C-alpha cells in the first residue's frame, strides 16, 4: 500500500460521525503536513498560486537557519573561549547544541500543544504561524534561562498574546516578542545584567558575559571587540541575535522570495541610521557617541527588524504604513537604547511599542485614501 | 482624444493555450439556453410555456423589479424545457432551435434624429437592454436612471485573454453604429478603454473619446478604467458594455433585428487547437467542442469567462450571456507529497520566488484548479494591495464586507469595485481567501439594505 492509501485508511476514524471526529483538526494538521490536499477551487478564481501559509512559514524558517546555526556555534564559542581551554569548532557546536536544542524542543512542545488544543476546541484547522514563533522564542532568549521559564513564557505568549485575541492573524503583539517581554519582566535576573549572556557565566570564574550595549550603558567603551567581530557576531548576546552577517543572509532569502517586507526592513535601517547619526553629532555619552553604523550591527537590532518587525500580522498592514512603521521602529530602537540605560537593548520594546501603534498608522493611511475619495466625490459621508 | 494611463499594480498570468487568430463559424446549434445565473439579482417572470414556439427576439421573461427589462430568445424555435431548482427557482430556459428563422422585426429608426427615450425604449423592447450593466453593484442597469458616463473596455487583460480587435475587425461598422447609439444616451461621455498595442482600434476609433491603457491585468477591467478616468461617486451610476454587445446594438439599429452573435475563444492548456468560434448567445457547448481536440484522459473544468472570474460549467451546458471566452483547465484534484516545501513542485507557478518556476517566467505555463493549500486566517498583509490598481485598500474592504458594515464599506470604496476586480487577489492569496465571493455577498447585502 502506498503512503496515500495508508493515510486514507488512518483517516477513517476521524471522519464525520466517527469516534475521533473532534480530533479531526489535529489529524488534518498531520495529513496536510504530508500532502498538499486535493482540494480544487470551488468559487472565485479557478487557478491559485502555489503559495500557502505552510510555504510562507517554512520559507521564514529557512531564512532563520543561518542565524540559528551560527547562534549554536557562538554559544559554545563564547563559553569555551572565556574558559581558556583549547577547543575545536565541533566542541563549540556540541556545547551550543546541548544548551539550545532542549530549549527549541520545549518551545515547540508547549506551543504546538496549546495550538492543537485550541484548534480541536474551536474546530478549526491548525494554523502554521507557530512554526516560526516556536523557533524564534528560544533564538531570542539568553542561553542560561531555565527550560521551565521558556515553557511558561511560551504558554503566556500563545495564550494571552495570541489565542486570547482570536488566534493566528488576530494578535496585536508579535507572539515571540511577547514571550521575551514576559520573561524579561517576570524573571529579570535571568534576562538582563552581565552574567546571563554567556553560558554558565555565573558559575565559572573568569567568564564575563557583558554585552556591548551593556558596557556602553555602564559608560565603558567596548574596545576589545572590533567592528568585524560585531558584524560576524562572535560577541555575547541572546542566542541568535549576534551575527548581523547571518541575519543579512536571512533577510536576503526573505526579500528574494518575496515573503518578508523589504519596506519594513529598509525603513527601520534608515530610521535607526539617521537617529544614530544625529546622536553621534550630539555625543553626550558613550551610547550617543557609539557610531551609528555600529548601532546597526550590535545587539538585536538586525535580528529584530528582519524577523520580528516584519511579522505581517502585528506590523502595519498597508504598504505605505509599513514604511512609516519601519522608520519608527528604527527611531525608537535607538532612542530607547540611548535614553534608557536600564534597558540597553531597545529593539524589543521598540517593536512592541510600534505593534501597538500599527493599527493607528494604518488608520491614518487608509483615512487619507478615504479623504481623497470624499473630496473627489464632493459628498458628505458621515464620519465613523 | 486620448490620454495615456499606466497601471502598475497587477499581474499578467501567462497560461498555455491562448486561442490562435483563426475564426470558425459554427452552424446554428440544435439546442441553446438562457442561464438565469448570468443575470445577477434578476427575478424572472415568465412570458412563455414549455412547448410554445418562439421567434428570434421574442421576449421569454421579464424582470420582476422592472417589467420593461425583457430577455428575449436568441433564435427561433420551441421552448423545450424550463429547468427549476430549489423552491422552483428557474435555473435555465432551454430552447430547441429550428431552421425557420422566424424573427421579431423592429422599425429601423433614423439615427440622425433619435431622442434618448426612443433609444432606451428600443433597447428595452428588443431585448438588448441586459447587455448594459451598471457600476456600482455590477448588475443590469436601471433604465430609469441617468448614467454619468458609459464605458466600454476594448481589451481583455485576463489570462488567456480574448483579442477584441480580431473579434470585431470585420464588424467595425456595427461597432461604430452601436457607439453612436450610446452617444445618444450619454452625449460626449462614451469612454473607450484601448490598449497601447491596439493600433487598429486607435486608427478606427479616433473619432471617439478613448483612453489608452498600459500595464498588467486588471488594466482591461472596466472598473479599473473607470476608476482612473472618471471615478464613481456614491449616488452616481456608470453604464458598461462589452465590445461585441455594442455590435449587437449597432446591428439592431441598422437592421431592426436582434442578432445575438457571440464570438467565443476556446482556450486553455488541455486544448490542442485553441481558436475562435462564431456562434450565438446560449449555444450548447458541445456544438463548439466538436471542433476541438483535447489531450486525452483528463478530467477537465470548463469555464464560462476567464479563469480568474468566470463560472464553471458542465460540458453538456451552454455558453453564457456575457462571456467571450470558454476557458478550459485540468482539474487539480490530486495530492502532492510535501508539496508545500519551497522549491518542490516546481511545475506550479508562484508569484513568490519559492519555486524554480520563475526561472522560465516568460514561457506560458500550465495551471490547474488545485487550491495549493487550505483556507487560513489573513496573515500575509499587504499582498492584496500589490494586485489592486485603485486608490482603495482591498483587504480592509474585504474585511468590512465580511462583517457587513455598510458605512465602512461605503467609505472604503465599495461603489467602485466589482467582484471581478478581486480575481487576482483570489489567485495570489496565501490564505486562500475567496475575495470575489466575499465582495459579491457584501455588494448584495448593501443592495438589500439600502435600496
Amino acid at each position: 500500500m502506498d503512503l496515500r492509501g495508508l493515510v486514507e485508511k488512518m483517516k477513517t476514524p476521524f471522519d464525520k460521525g466517527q469516534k475521533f471526529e473532534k480530533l479531526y483538526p489535529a489529524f488534518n494538521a498531520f495529513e496536510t503536513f504530508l500532502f498538499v490536499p486535493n482540494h480544487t477551487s470551488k468559487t472565485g478564481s479557478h487557478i491559485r498560486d502555489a503559495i500557502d501559509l505552510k510555504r510562507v512559514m517554512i520559507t521564514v524558517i529557512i531564512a532563520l537557519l543561518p542565524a540559528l546555526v551560527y547562534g549554536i556555534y557562538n554559544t559554545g564559542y563564547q563559553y569555551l573561549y572565556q574558559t581558556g581551554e583549547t577547543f575545536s569548532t565541533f566542541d563549540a557546536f556540541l556545547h551550543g547544541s546541548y544548551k539550545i536544542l532542549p530549549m527549541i524542543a520545549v518551545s515547540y512542545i508547549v506551543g504546538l500543544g496549546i495550538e492543537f488544543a485550541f484548534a480541536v476546541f474551536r474546530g478549526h484547522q491548525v494554523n502554521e504561524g507557530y512554526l516560526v514563533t516556536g523557533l524564534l522564542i528560544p533564538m531570542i532568549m539568553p542561553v542560561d534561562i531555565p527550560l521551565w521559564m521558556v515553557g511558561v513564557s511560551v504558554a503566556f505568549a500563545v495564550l494571552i498574546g495570541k489565542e486570547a485575541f482570536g488566534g493566528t492573524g488576530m494578535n496585536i503583539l508579535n507572539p515571540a516578542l511577547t514571550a521575551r517581554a514576559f520573561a524579561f519582566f517576570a524573571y529579570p535576573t535571568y534576562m538582563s545584567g552581565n552574567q546571563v549572556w554567556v553560558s554558565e557565566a555565573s558559575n565559572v570564574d573568569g567568564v564575563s558575559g557583558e554585552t556591548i550595549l551593556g558596557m556602553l550603558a555602564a559608560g565603558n567603551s567596548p574596545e576589545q571587540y572590533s567592528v568585524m567581530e560585531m558584524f560576524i557576531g562572535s560577541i555575547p548576546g541572546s542566542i541568535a541575535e549576534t551575527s548581523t552577517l547571518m541575519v543579512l543572509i536571512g533577510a536576503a532569502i526573505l526579500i528574494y522570495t518575496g515573503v518578508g517586507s523589504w519596506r519594513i526592513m529598509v525603513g527601520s535601517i534608515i530610521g535607526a541610521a539617521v537617529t544614530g547619526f544625529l546622536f553621534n553629532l550630539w555625543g553626550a555619552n558613550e551610547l550617543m557617541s557609539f557610531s551609528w553604523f555600529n548601532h546597526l550591527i550590535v545587539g538585536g537590532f538586525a535580528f529584530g527588524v528582519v524577523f520580528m518587525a516584519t511579522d505581517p500580522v502585528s506590523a502595519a498592514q498597508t504598504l505605505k504604513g509599513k514604511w512609516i512603521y519601519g522608520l519608527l521602529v528604527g527611531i525608537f530602537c535607538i532612542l530607547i537604547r540611548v535614553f534608557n540605560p536600564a534597558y540597553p537593548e531597545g529593539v524589543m520594546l521598540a517593536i512592541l511599542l510600534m505593534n501597538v501603534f500599527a493599527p493607528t498608522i494604518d488608520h491614518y493611511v487608509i483615512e487619507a485614501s478615504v479623504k481623497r475619495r470624499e473630496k473627489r466625490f464632493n459628498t458628505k459621508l458621515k464620519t465613523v | 482624444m486620448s490620454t495615456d494611463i499606466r497601471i502598475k499594480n497587477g499581474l499578467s498570468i501567462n497560461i498555455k493555450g491562448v486561442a490562435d487568430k483563426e475564426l470558425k463559424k459554427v452552424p446554428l446549434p440544435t439546442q441553446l439556453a438562457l442561464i438565469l445565473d448570468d443575470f445577477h439579482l434578476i427575478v424572472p417572470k415568465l412570458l412563455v410555456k414549455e412547448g410554445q414556439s418562439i421567434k428570434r427576439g421574442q421576449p421569454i421573461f421579464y424582470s420582476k423589479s422592472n417589467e420593461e427589462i425583457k430577455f428575449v430568445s436568441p433564435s427561433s424555435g420551441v421552448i423545450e424545457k424550463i429547468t427549476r431548482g430549489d423552491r422552483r427557482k428557474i435555473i435555465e430556459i432551454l430552447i430547441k432551435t429550428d431552421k425557420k428563422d422566424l424573427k421579431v422585426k423592429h422599425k429601423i429608426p433614423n439615427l440622425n434624429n433619435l431622442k434618448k427615450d426612443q433609444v432606451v425604449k428600443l433597447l428595452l423592447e428588443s431585448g438588448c437592454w441586459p447587455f448594459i450593466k451598471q457600476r456600482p453593484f455590477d448588475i443590469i442597469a436601471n433604465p430609469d436612471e441617468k448614467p454619468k458616463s458609459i464605458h466600454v473596455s476594448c481589451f481583455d487583460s485576463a489570462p488567456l485573454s480574448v483579442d477584441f480587435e480580431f473579434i470585431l475587425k470585420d464588424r467595425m461598422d456595427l461597432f461604430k453604429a452601436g457607439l453612436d447609439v450610446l452617444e445618444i444616451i450619454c452625449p460626449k461621455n462614451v469612454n473607450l478603454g484601448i490598449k497601447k498595442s491596439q493600433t487598429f482600434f486607435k486608427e478606427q476609433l479616433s473619432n471617439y473619446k478613448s483612453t489608452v491603457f498600459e500595464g498588467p491585468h486588471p488594466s482591461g477591467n472596466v472598473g479599473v478604467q473607470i476608476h482612473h478616468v472618471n471615478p464613481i461617486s456614491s449616488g452616481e451610476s456608470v453604464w458598461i458594455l462589452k465590445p461585441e454587445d455594442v455590435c449587437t446594438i449597432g446591428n439592431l439599429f441598422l437592421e431592426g433585428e436582434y442578432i445575438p452573435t457571440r464570438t467565443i475563444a476556446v482556450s486553455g492548456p488541455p486544448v490542442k487547437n485553441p481558436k475562435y468560434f462564431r456562434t450565438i448567445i446560449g449555444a450548447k457547448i458541445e456544438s463548439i467542442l466538436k471542433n476541438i481536440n483535447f489531450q486525452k484522459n483528463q478530467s477537465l473544468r470548463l469555464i464560462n469567462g476567464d479563469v480568474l472570474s468566470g463560472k464553471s460549467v458542465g460540458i453538456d451546458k451552454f455558453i453564457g450571456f456575457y462571456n467571450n471566452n470558454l476557458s478550459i483547465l485540468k482539474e487539480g484534484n490530486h495530492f502532492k507529497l510535501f508539496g508545500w516545501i519551497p522549491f518542490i513542485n516546481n511545475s506550479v507557478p508562484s508569484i513568490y520566488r519559492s519555486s524554480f518556476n520563475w526561472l522560465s517566467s516568460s514561457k506560458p505555463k500550465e495551471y490547474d484548479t488545485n487550491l495549493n493549500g487550505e483556507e487560513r486566517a489573513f496573515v500575509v498583509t499587504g499582498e492584496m494591495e500589490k494586485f489592486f490598481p485603485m486608490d482603495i485598500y482591498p483587504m480592509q474592504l474585504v474585511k468590512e464586507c465580511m462583517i457587513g458594515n455598510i458605512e465602512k464599506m461605503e467609505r472604503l470604496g465599495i461603489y467602485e469595485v466589482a467582484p471581478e476586480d478581486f480575481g487576482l487577489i483570489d489567485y495570489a492569496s496565501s490564505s486562500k481567501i475567496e475575495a470575489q465571493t466575499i465582495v459579491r455577498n457584501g455588494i448584495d447585502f448593501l443592495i438589500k439594505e439600502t435600496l
Side-chain angles (χ1 to χ4, degrees), chain B residues 21-35:
Chain B
K21 302 226 166 42
E22 189 191 329
L23 184 66
K24 187 176 163 63
K25 286 205 170 109
V26 180
L28 182 70
T30 52
Q31 201 183 33
L32 53 81
L34 289 182
I35 309 164

Side-chain angles (χ1 to χ4, degrees), chain A residues 144-159:
Chain A
D144 269 349
I145 189 163
L147 291 178
W148 67 268
M149 285 186 195
V150 176
V152 173
S153 307
V154 163
F156 178 85
V158 176
L159 286 171

Side-chain angles (χ1 to χ4, degrees), chain A residues 44 199 222 382:
Chain A
S199 128
K382 276 175 274 169

Side-chain angles (χ1 to χ4, degrees), chain A residues 3-4 8 11 24 28 31-59 62 125-128 131 168-170 255-259 263 311-313 315-320 322 362-363 365-370 372-374 376-379 381-384, chain B residues 13 15 227 231-234 301 303 306-308 310-312 329 331-342 344-345 348-355 358 367-374 376-382 385-386 391-393 395-396 399 407-408 411-413 416 423 426-432 434 436-437:
Chain A
L3 186 58
R4 184 66 231 162
E8 288 294 334
K11 197 177 182 172
Y24 178 72
N28 174 273
E31 190 196 349
T32 56
F33 173 82
L34 277 175
F35 290 98
V36 171
N38 64 345
H39 301 168
T40 54
S41 50
K42 292 283 177 281
T43 56
S45 174
H46 297 270
I47 56 171
R48 300 301 170 99
D49 196 88
I51 199 78
D52 69 339
L53 267 198
K54 277 196 183 63
R55 193 176 268 200
V56 168
M57 294 302 168
I58 209 75
T59 308
I62 291 171
Q125 313 291 30
V126 180
N127 274 285
E128 289 82 2
L131 293 177
T168 303
M170 320 278 186
I255 292 173
Y256 180 76
T257 54
V259 167
R263 290 174 178 84
D311 167 15
V313 175
Q317 309 198 336
T318 54
L319 295 181
K320 252 184 223 161
K322 284 181 199 283
D362 283 333
H363 173 78
V365 169
I366 293 164
E367 208 57 18
S369 154
V370 171
R372 280 193 291 277
R373 191 169 307 114
E374 280 180 1
R376 210 173 57 203
F377 290 180
N378 202 14
T379 49
L381 297 173
K382 276 175 274 169
T383 43
V384 175
Chain B
I13 299 174
I15 305 187
H227 180 85
I232 306 167
S233 315
S234 75
R301 178 177 297 192
I303 300 155
D306 65 65
V307 294
L308 292 177
K311 286 174 187 154
S312 115
L329 292 172
E331 282 288 7
N333 50 352
H334 52 267
F335 291 91
K336 285 177 287 200
L337 184 63
F338 293 120
W340 49 276
I341 297 177
I344 289 204
N345 265 315
V348 190
S350 178
I351 47 163
Y352 290 82
R353 290 206 186 119
S354 63
S355 82
W358 64 272
Y367 287 76
D368 63 26
T369 63
N370 194 292
L371 266 186
N372 297 317
E374 282 186 303
R376 288 288 184 267
F378 282 105
V379 167
V380 183
T381 54
E385 268 180 72
K386 292 178 193 158
D391 185 10
I392 285 172
Y393 285 92
M395 187 177 83
Q396 284 72 17
K399 283 186 176 176
E407 202 166 33
K408 282 202 169 165
R411 284 165 60 81
L412 289 169
E416 298 183 58
D426 272 5
Y427 167 74
S429 171
S430 56
S431 301
K432 313 293 172 191
E434 310 275 2
Q436 292 187 84
T437 317

Side-chain angles (χ1 to χ4, degrees), chain A residues 105-168:
Chain A
V106 166
S107 166
Y108 272 133
I109 291 167
V110 175
L112 286 177
I114 298 172
E115 289 267 336
F116 271 72
F118 267 89
V120 168
F121 177 69
R122 287 187 174 143
H124 64 53
Q125 313 291 30
V126 180
N127 274 285
E128 289 82 2
Y130 192 76
L131 293 177
V132 170
T133 311
L135 189 56
L136 277 173
I137 290 174
M139 286 174 79
I140 55 176
M141 292 290 185
V143 64
D144 269 349
I145 189 163
L147 291 178
W148 67 268
M149 285 186 195
V150 176
V152 173
S153 307
V154 163
F156 178 85
V158 176
L159 286 171
I160 308 294
K162 193 154 102 172
E163 295 300 341
F165 289 96
T168 303

